[in-house]
Structure formats: structure tokens, C-alpha cells
Amino acid sequence: LKNAPIQKAFVENWGFQCGYCTSGFLMVCHALATIHPDAEDYVVEEWLQSNICRCTSYDEIKNAVAAVLQNKSVI
């Protein structure tokens, strides 16, 4: 979906990486927020490990995931 909360969170938190890993992170984030809407940091870390990215650090991505979980709105 264009301008979905997940996409906006990734843009606002500089979580977008290259075209290869970003789509995977968006899907992981959507599933995580759907299945574990109150996920603690260690759960987020565990879920993000399923998608390997060498573009940059995961800090921006973690911030985007945290923003999505705080807002409780994924789609």
C-alpha cells in the first residue's frame, strides 16, 4: 500500500536501505506488528535477524519498527 504506516515509519526514521533488503524488512515488520504488537526489544532483534542487510546498521530500522509498534497501526 502506498503511504502505509510502515512505509512512513521507515522513511521518517531513515530505515530504507537498498532495494534488496528493504522489502524484506517491511514484510518482517508487518508480520511482527501483526503477531507481536507489544514486542519487546529482544523480540524485535530476533525477528530482524531473519533479514540480512549489509547496507548500514540496523539502528534506523529498529527505530522504524519501534515507531510502528508504538502507533499500533500497520496498514
Side-chain angles (χ1 to χ4, degrees), residues 9-31:
F10 270 69
V11 169
E12 291 169 358
N13 290 280
W14 299 92
F16 274 98
Q17 308 303 319
C18 71
Y20 293 103
C21 58
T22 298
S23 57
F25 280 119
L26 290 170
M27 293 178 73
V28 166
C29 181
H30 181 274

Side-chain angles (χ1 to χ4, degrees), residues 12-56:
E12 291 169 358
N13 290 280
W14 299 92
F16 274 98
Q17 308 303 319
C18 71
Y20 293 103
C21 58
T22 298
S23 57
F25 280 119
L26 290 170
M27 293 178 73
V28 166
C29 181
H30 181 274
L32 174 64
T34 301
I35 296 169
H36 300 287
D38 297 318
E40 294 185 33
D41 290 341
Y42 76 92
V43 175
V44 172
E45 294 262 348
E46 185 177 287
W47 276 62
L48 291 180
Q49 288 178 13
S50 68
N51 196 21
I52 298 171
C53 174
R54 299 288 181 240
C55 300
T56 186

